[in-house]
Amino acid sequence: MADSSSTYQAGGSGDQPKKSIIPGFGRFKVALSTVLTMEIIMQLAYIFEYPNCLIDGLRKADTTTSCALLMVSGMEERGQIAPHDISQLLDSLKEIGNPGTASTVQELFLKHTDIPIEEEGAHSQGVIRERGHSEAENEATVDRDHDEPSQKTVGAPASSMSTMSPTSSSLMPIAPELMGHLMNSMTPPGVNIAGSNNVVNISCHVQSTGSVQLATSSSQLDPVPSPGPVPTPDHVPPPNQESDDTMSTFIQELKETGKALYDKIQPIPYIKDELDSVDKVFIEVGLERRVGKDSWKKLGSYHDIFPKEKGNPRIQIIEGDPGYGKSTLALQMVYDWCNEVSGSPFSGPDILICLNLRQLKGITSIAQAIKQCSLPFDSKLKLLDVEQLISKSNIWVIFDAYDEYPDQHNKVNFVMQMLKGKIGQHVNILLTTRSSCIPPALGARTGRIRLTGFDNAAQERYIRKVVTGDDEVVKKVLKHLNINPTLGVLCRAPLFSVMYAHLTHKGSMLHEISSVTGFFGHMISCFLSHTQNKLSGADESPENLQTHADTHAALDKLAFEALTSKMQQLVWDRTFFVGELGEVFYKLYVDVGILVEEKETHIPAPGKVPQHKTVVRFYHKLFGEWYAAYHLIECVKSRSYILPENINLYDLKFLFMFACGLDQPGGSQVIKLLGERKDGAESVVLCAPQLKEWSHDIQTTVRRIVSSGIDIYISDSRLLQQSTIQLLELASQHKIPISQVMLLESFSSVDPDSLPLVLRSGLCLPPLSTLKELVIWTEPGREVTVDEWTGILNYTNQCQLLKKLKLDLCLLPWMDSFPTSLGSVEVRWVTAIDGHEYTLQSGRWQNWRSGGILTRGAYDDLVTKFREQWSDTPWQERRRAERE
């Protein structure tokens, strides 16, 4: 039967079908509805900028097929598909990363309409190839009911709908929530509306008399009488009115959910009977705000994250390495709001919501995320209530753990839409993420905050607040952090610092550890040992428990495949996980605390019963990297193994570090693979010190890296700086020449006793016997003291192969004489003032370009120019403040 267009009046005096022949296009629309998934539909809805009411209607459709039919109808109404051209749809499918679907749709269009789509220009010019007759012309027009002066379909622009008078005879848009019921009520008995050859296009209209008009295009359905009044579903949202009671209920439920989050802090995984509120364990970490391209300014408190000055960014990205306390900080903010903590800016907004992005897979709006994750499952508030409440409120949203967001690679996920300001422009946003996973293409008005971890004072405050107040115990715990450089660096991360403090207090020998792998391995052993002691009276003997603990190949594989896939999967269904690991193993690791169970609620279409299930995740992503490292070792035993290209090496740096520390031969192969990648140099720097011995292959890889120079940035993490220093020391010990070391604003001073260069991080770079060139690029405007300059020159004397010393952006002190031991070392000084670059020749500064000698008078003039040039830099501002 040929496709036809028909109009039916429901609740009116009769049926008035009108027909217009459209060969093939109706069948194409039916076929199109079968290939549109829910994810694609939501992405297209955002791309096409559909209004929220239409997106909500799509989301509430009872089935994916119903949703797809609505979407097809909406696209036709807006001209995104037409009988002669579907290029806009094809372009949009490609834009959202679905070229395969675009190809399928194009083939369906050709199959049903016999109209090829031009690859170039079809969208802009509406090109149709000749078919030898006038079919294209006939198909280009669809009859409408011209008897009515005005019609608006579901999803019509708000501006056009607002012009309709309630008393007008024009047809008004029907509520999207009724669409599924209308579709079912207009279907004759025995006809399946979800079938691929039935309803093609549906447009609903409500006349001012209250009758409903449903326009359909169908390939098989004939006109049928009205089935009578349309049933009113029990989930139709209330009128658009915001009452004080509704807002009070909303806030109360948000606070109840927030309390459930911040009241379950578990510092040590296996200690489950001593859960604390976040305020009982929270210690402020170091915070810095990005100012300019590469500069960071220290903040006094997390209260300063949102500056009080007007015009400051409403979106703040909070970044930090694994274990630096991003999620704990987010929970402290929730605590402040829920308890209206005096003096905290986070107690100020009407609404503050913390959403863990790990839980938001497939969720397409902020209202849906709040409804599903931040309200009780039995909440009486409907999705429309939430939308109305947050649209007019002073709302702050914390998106926690963007690096674990399953939909981050979806170009049109609602989180990215909010970050780019396309939706939710009134919302203040805090987004936490690993430093290696910053959302792309953020605007210049986005603020950047980074966590710098615990300093010594913060470590002591935590121990006294949470672990013990005994002065002698506190001193004992802190002592080893100061004498063990590996521990000192690791425990900058609050996660490691907390583990170290609790385990050392309980008698662990963690202070003897000298590598990241050793620390983490010993920590895991402590967890297992504690659980075995606790369960020693149970049916399972400690020996059996140890056997289960040692055979974790299935867990290793699951963790590795999850972390190295394009879209990292960090949460699993409990039933699946138990099936893969076995009940005994699974229970052991839950008891230990390495695996954590969570209840997850899925809110289906309105009126449906909420679905509950138990999911499982690692206590922390680092634990996943630990077990994944075991599987990587097994993989590299095959010499043909190649690391997947999509792996973010820096994001998974601990995975590679653990692998290198767990197995010497496997670690050597891992470093070889890392060294072969263009982006692998930094990973080699981190991993090489984990190996106890360097094979010939490792030395070759390290030689290639250090031959091109090593940079130490002020912005590098302490872990990376420490690993870099260790690599340089080992390279010198193995007589590997180091072409250059550049300190980029990371130099602080020189230790006058042992002569290492002290970095601003507090770490020390010892003299390197095989170093050929040292470049010290100070912070702009810095004035080096006589003691510092003398210390730098003495340091160079300890580097036997050093040939060049260069200092940039600083002012060196005047010296009447220089050490004769400099010998053949070429010393160059660059002030960054035009024409003032000097080399040291025979104990005197000589202009690098003119050859003129720098006299004392010329030097005094240079000092004046230098201070004027850099007058607005932090260093010069401090100099002036000290003089005043």
Side-chain angles (χ1 to χ4, degrees):
M1 180 182 295
D3 292 345
S4 63
S5 170
S6 302
T7 302
Y8 304 102
Q9 179 109 354
S13 59
D15 304 322
Q16 300 173 338
K18 296 179 180 289
K19 295 186 178 182
S20 176
I21 304 301
I22 314 175
F25 187 58
R27 286 188 294 273
F28 162 71
K29 291 187 290 183
V30 174
L32 174 60
S33 70
T34 66
V35 299
L36 294 179
T37 66
M38 198 67 181
E39 181 180 4
I40 292 176
I41 290 170
M42 289 297 110
Q43 291 174 342
L44 289 174
Y46 282 119
I47 286 285
F48 294 149
E49 298 184 352
Y50 282 7
N52 288 335
C53 63
L54 181 54
I55 293 176
D56 192 31
L58 292 169
R59 192 183 304 119
K60 290 180 179 179
D62 290 335
T63 65
T64 301
T65 303
S66 301
C67 182
L69 289 169
L70 291 175
M71 187 65 187
V72 171
S73 174
M75 289 191 290
E76 184 181 17
E77 292 284 348
R78 288 163 175 74
Q80 284 130 8
I81 60 171
H84 60 283
D85 184 19
I86 60 167
S87 298
Q88 186 175 357
L89 171 60
L90 298 179
D91 292 345
S92 298
L93 287 170
K94 294 173 184 176
E95 182 180 348
I96 63 176
N98 282 279
T101 304
S103 177
T104 300
V105 171
Q106 185 170 346
E107 291 173 2
L108 290 172
F109 187 69
L110 177 61
K111 173 183 177 182
H112 291 290
T113 68
D114 198 28
I115 303 176
I117 298 296
E118 294 285 0
E119 291 298 326
E120 301 293 338
H123 182 209
S124 59
Q125 300 174 20
V127 176
I128 304 176
R129 292 182 178 174
E130 292 293 334
R131 291 185 285 164
H133 48 76
S134 60
E135 288 180 351
E137 182 180 351
N138 292 338
E139 291 179 2
T141 304
V142 180
D143 282 353
R144 303 282 184 186
D145 186 352
H146 298 293
D147 295 335
E148 295 292 346
S150 174
Q151 286 191 7
K152 295 295 174 185
T153 60
V154 174
S159 59
S160 62
M161 290 191 285
S162 63
T163 62
M164 297 182 183
S165 169
T167 60
S168 170
S169 62
S170 301
L171 300 180
M172 302 295 287
I174 190 168
E177 294 79 3
L178 296 177
M179 184 62 71
H181 294 269
L182 286 170
M183 291 166 63
N184 292 328
S185 68
M186 297 307 296
T187 305
V191 177
N192 178 12
I193 196 168
S196 61
N197 294 316
N198 292 319
V199 175
V200 176
N201 185 21
I202 300 175
S203 300
C204 292
H205 313 281
V206 180
Q207 292 182 332
S208 58
T209 60
S211 63
V212 178
Q213 181 172 324
L214 178 64
T216 70
S217 296
S218 173
S219 60
Q220 293 184 359
L221 296 183
D222 293 324
V224 296
S226 168
V230 178
T232 302
D234 57 8
H235 63 269
V236 173
N240 185 19
Q241 296 178 354
E242 183 180 26
S243 67
D244 291 341
D245 289 342
T246 304
M247 176 59 83
S248 297
T249 300
F250 186 44
I251 291 175
Q252 180 181 353
E253 290 185 350
L254 287 174
K255 288 187 175 182
E256 288 174 358
T257 307
K259 187 175 188 299
L261 291 175
Y262 69 68
D263 255 358
K264 297 189 300 183
I265 301 300
Q266 191 176 342
I268 301 296
Y270 61 76
I271 305 179
K272 300 180 181 181
D273 52 352
E274 299 179 13
L275 300 182
D276 287 311
S277 174
V278 67
D279 66 304
K280 302 297 183 184
V281 300
F282 178 73
I283 297 293
E284 288 218 39
V285 297
L287 291 167
E288 293 179 342
R289 183 190 307 284
R290 187 172 181 174
V291 288
K293 185 177 180 180
D294 296 312
S295 299
W296 297 80
K297 181 179 180 181
K298 186 175 182 180
L299 298 182
S301 167
Y302 73 99
H303 290 177
D304 301 327
I305 288 176
F306 276 116
K308 297 181 177 63
E309 298 83 2
K310 291 184 178 180
N312 282 293
R314 66 176 181 84
I315 300 174
Q316 299 285 348
I317 307 298
I318 301 179
E319 61 185 89
D321 278 349
Y324 266 62
K326 301 180 290 293
S327 295
T328 304
L329 176 60
L331 290 178
Q332 180 63 36
M333 296 171 183
V334 174
Y335 175 89
D336 289 359
W337 180 72
C338 290
N339 295 276
E340 301 179 13
V341 174
S342 177
S344 172
F346 297 96
S347 63
D350 299 333
I351 298 169
L352 185 142
I353 298 166
C354 182
L355 294 167
N356 192 310
L357 290 175
R358 181 181 64 242
Q359 301 172 341
L360 302 190
K361 182 178 182 180
I363 291 180
T364 56
S365 73
I366 180 64
Q368 184 187 5
I370 294 170
K371 171 66 176 170
Q372 183 161 318
C373 302
S374 294
L375 297 179
F377 76 89
D378 58 349
S379 172
K380 295 181 180 179
L381 295 175
K382 299 178 176 61
L383 187 62
L384 187 58
D385 295 329
V386 176
E387 289 177 343
Q388 293 172 348
L389 290 168
I390 65 176
S391 66
K392 299 179 181 180
S393 303
N394 174 18
I395 177 172
W396 290 16
V397 174
I398 303 169
F399 289 124
D400 188 28
Y402 179 80
D403 53 289
E404 299 181 20
Y405 182 33
D407 292 344
Q408 63 179 267
H409 298 291
N410 179 342
K411 295 181 181 179
V412 290
N413 67 73
F414 83 92
V415 175
M416 186 54 66
Q417 298 293 308
M418 293 183 69
L419 291 175
K420 292 183 176 180
K422 293 185 177 181
I423 57 175
Q425 293 89 345
H426 68 292
V427 179
N428 282 340
I429 298 174
L430 283 159
L431 182 141
T432 72
T433 185
R434 286 190 177 192
S435 301
S436 57
C437 191
I438 305 297
L442 296 177
R445 298 286 298 164
T446 301
R448 293 274 293 276
I449 306 290
R450 71 178 181 186
L451 306 185
T452 59
F454 275 179
D455 58 13
N456 291 340
Q459 290 166 345
E460 181 174 349
R461 287 197 300 272
Y462 179 86
I463 296 170
R464 291 186 180 279
K465 180 177 182 179
V466 182
V467 182
T468 179
D470 188 310
D471 288 342
E472 291 301 318
V473 175
V474 172
K475 291 178 182 179
K476 179 181 177 181
V477 173
L478 290 174
K479 173 184 176 182
H480 300 290
L481 294 179
N482 297 322
I483 62 177
N484 185 328
T486 299
L487 273 181
V489 170
L490 277 177
C491 290
R492 275 286 179 148
L495 174 70
F496 291 129
S497 184
V498 168
M499 299 285 186
Y500 167 79
H502 284 276
L503 294 177
T504 301
H505 178 54
K506 292 180 180 296
S508 170
M509 302 299 289
L510 276 171
H511 60 271
E512 298 179 357
I513 302 304
S514 60
S515 71
V516 174
T517 308
F519 182 95
F520 212 87
H522 188 82
M523 187 174 67
I524 296 285
S525 296
C526 290
F527 295 168
L528 290 169
S529 175
H530 175 89
T531 304
Q532 289 169 0
N533 293 336
K534 182 178 179 181
L535 300 177
S536 59
D539 294 337
E540 287 283 352
S541 67
E543 293 76 15
N544 288 337
L545 291 174
Q546 186 62 50
T547 300
H548 293 309
D550 290 342
T551 54
H552 44 74
L555 180 62
D556 304 341
K557 184 178 180 182
L558 278 175
F560 182 80
E561 291 178 347
L563 289 168
T564 57
S565 62
K566 182 177 180 180
M567 298 178 63
Q568 291 186 354
Q569 178 185 348
L570 300 168
V571 178
W572 295 267
D573 180 82
R574 182 191 185 280
T575 303
F576 166 79
F577 217 71
V578 171
E580 294 292 313
L581 273 61
E583 184 69 43
V584 175
F585 180 94
Y586 175 82
K587 185 178 184 303
L588 169 63
Y589 273 68
V590 170
D591 288 337
V592 172
I594 292 172
L595 296 177
V596 178
E597 290 184 341
E598 293 179 341
K599 299 295 183 182
E600 188 175 273
T601 302
H602 174 65
I603 309 295
K608 303 290 185 179
V609 178
Q611 300 171 358
H612 311 286
K613 67 176 181 179
T614 301
V615 296
V616 61
R617 62 174 176 84
F618 283 103
Y619 173 83
H620 192 281
K621 190 175 177 180
L622 283 173
F623 287 84
E625 294 185 55
W626 172 261
Y627 287 100
Y630 282 94
H631 187 72
L632 176 59
I633 292 170
E634 293 301 313
C635 289
V636 299
K637 287 181 179 178
S638 169
R639 295 289 175 171
S640 60
Y641 178 78
I642 300 176
L643 290 173
E645 285 296 324
N646 63 286
I647 289 183
N648 183 330
L649 298 183
Y650 189 74
D651 180 46
L652 298 177
K653 59 178 176 287
F654 280 98
L655 189 162
F656 297 108
M657 293 171 70
F658 292 152
C660 292
L662 286 170
D663 185 81
Q664 180 75 28
S668 298
Q669 184 64 15
V670 168
I671 289 180
K672 183 176 181 293
L673 292 173
L674 292 172
E676 292 170 353
R677 289 182 50 142
K678 293 181 180 179
D679 58 345
E682 187 171 292
S683 297
V684 172
V685 170
L686 287 165
C687 292
Q690 299 298 311
L691 293 172
K692 296 179 180 179
E693 298 179 3
W694 279 12
S695 65
H696 176 73
D697 287 344
I698 297 301
Q699 293 186 42
T700 300
T701 300
V702 172
R703 186 184 303 272
R704 184 171 64 252
I705 290 174
V706 300
S707 66
S708 58
I710 295 292
D711 299 335
I712 301 179
Y713 291 85
I714 179 58
S715 58
D716 289 344
S717 67
R718 281 175 60 92
L719 177 62
L720 178 56
Q721 288 189 2
Q722 174 70 13
S723 298
T724 303
I725 292 170
Q726 289 177 326
L727 180 82
L728 293 170
E729 288 186 276
L730 290 169
S732 288
Q733 292 172 15
H734 285 84
K735 309 300 181 183
I736 299 174
I738 304 168
S739 64
Q740 182 192 79
V741 170
M742 180 178 290
L743 306 181
L744 294 161
E745 297 189 31
S746 55
F747 169 77
S748 174
S749 60
V750 182
D751 189 316
D753 298 324
S754 55
L755 291 182
L757 299 181
V758 181
L759 305 185
R760 291 170 66 183
S761 63
L763 299 174
C764 294
L765 177 67
L768 303 170
S769 61
T770 61
L771 177 62
K772 293 183 176 181
E773 180 178 0
L774 174 65
V775 178
I776 300 177
W777 191 313
T778 70
E779 58 271 48
R782 174 166 182 167
E783 298 186 15
V784 178
T785 66
V786 173
D787 288 343
E788 290 170 343
W789 183 217
T790 301
I792 292 171
L793 294 174
N794 289 335
Y795 175 87
T796 63
N797 290 333
Q798 306 302 313
C799 302
Q800 292 91 332
L801 298 183
L802 192 73
K803 299 298 180 184
K804 294 182 180 180
L805 170 65
K806 181 181 178 183
L807 292 99
D808 266 307
L809 301 182
C810 62
L811 179 68
L812 294 179
W814 177 263
M815 295 182 67
D816 292 321
S817 61
F818 290 87
T820 56
S821 58
L822 282 174
S824 60
V825 176
E826 176 187 338
V827 182
R828 186 174 174 184
W829 171 29
V830 180
T831 65
I833 298 176
D834 188 42
H836 291 275
E837 297 180 15
Y838 302 93
T839 57
L840 195 61
Q841 298 290 339
S842 303
R844 305 179 69 182
W845 288 115
Q846 185 177 30
N847 191 289
W848 183 58
R849 295 180 180 177
S850 67
I853 301 300
L854 181 67
T855 63
R856 181 57 193 256
Y859 173 81
D860 292 339
D861 291 339
L862 173 60
V863 171
T864 301
K865 291 179 181 179
F866 182 88
R867 290 174 176 173
E868 290 175 352
Q869 171 85 11
W870 302 108
S871 61
D872 59 347
T873 60
W875 208 100
Q876 286 296 322
E877 289 176 354
R878 288 196 300 270
R879 183 191 65 82
R880 290 194 298 270
E882 290 171 359
R883 294 188 64 179
E884 293 173 357

